[in-house]
Amino acid sequence: MVGINVKEPENECHDPNCPFHGELSVRGQVIEGTVTSDKADRTITVERSFYKFIKKYERYEKRNSKIQAHKPDCIDVKVGDSVKIAECRQLSKTKHFVLVEVKEGE
């Protein structure tokens, strides 16, 4: 239903910015990361790690980036969970991703 291969949540919600029960469409990047904060209302902070190749030294360096994502009411998540977020239209000044799945068994 969302356009990517994820399991639909069991809970119902009335959030208009939910990709499963609302009007929000997802397109573009799908990123996996770890939740580092869930203090803000309907917002989580996801940190992802990646490697960047440094041409001068012909080596890779490890980098991190933090991304703000919208958390729909139908998905329960806590700090430390491994999650999958998908790109959507801009929802606020810093949010242009939405939570679509909590990875099981991690």
Side-chain angles (χ1 to χ4, degrees):
M1 184 165 120
V2 187
I4 53 177
N5 190 15
V6 294
K7 200 168 53 173
E8 193 163 326
E10 291 140 16
N11 303 340
E12 279 286 323
C13 73
H14 300 290
D15 185 359
N17 291 326
C18 176
F20 301 101
H21 307 111
E23 299 295 317
L24 189 68
S25 63
V26 296
R27 75 283 193 280
Q29 299 181 59
V30 177
I31 296 174
E32 293 182 13
T34 307
V35 177
T36 57
S37 175
D38 61 354
K39 293 179 181 177
D41 185 41
R42 287 186 175 174
T43 304
I44 57 171
T45 304
V46 177
E47 185 175 51
R48 72 180 190 111
S49 299
F50 58 96
Y51 290 99
K52 169 89 167 104
F53 184 72
I54 308 301
K55 199 164 143 182
K56 178 179 178 181
Y57 299 111
E58 298 180 358
R59 284 168 173 68
Y60 290 91
E61 74 177 5
K62 193 172 184 181
R63 291 189 174 183
N64 296 319
S65 70
K66 288 187 175 180
I67 301 168
Q68 306 287 326
H70 178 72
K71 184 188 84 65
D73 298 334
C74 56
I75 302 175
D76 295 323
V77 68
K78 57 187 181 302
V79 175
D81 286 350
S82 188
V83 296
K84 191 181 282 191
I85 57 175
E87 190 176 5
C88 62
R89 66 174 174 82
Q90 191 166 1
L91 299 171
S92 72
K93 181 181 174 182
T94 58
K95 288 198 299 189
H96 46 268
F97 281 87
V98 63
L99 175 65
V100 292
E101 184 180 35
V102 178
K103 304 291 275 184
E104 296 295 328
E106 293 185 34

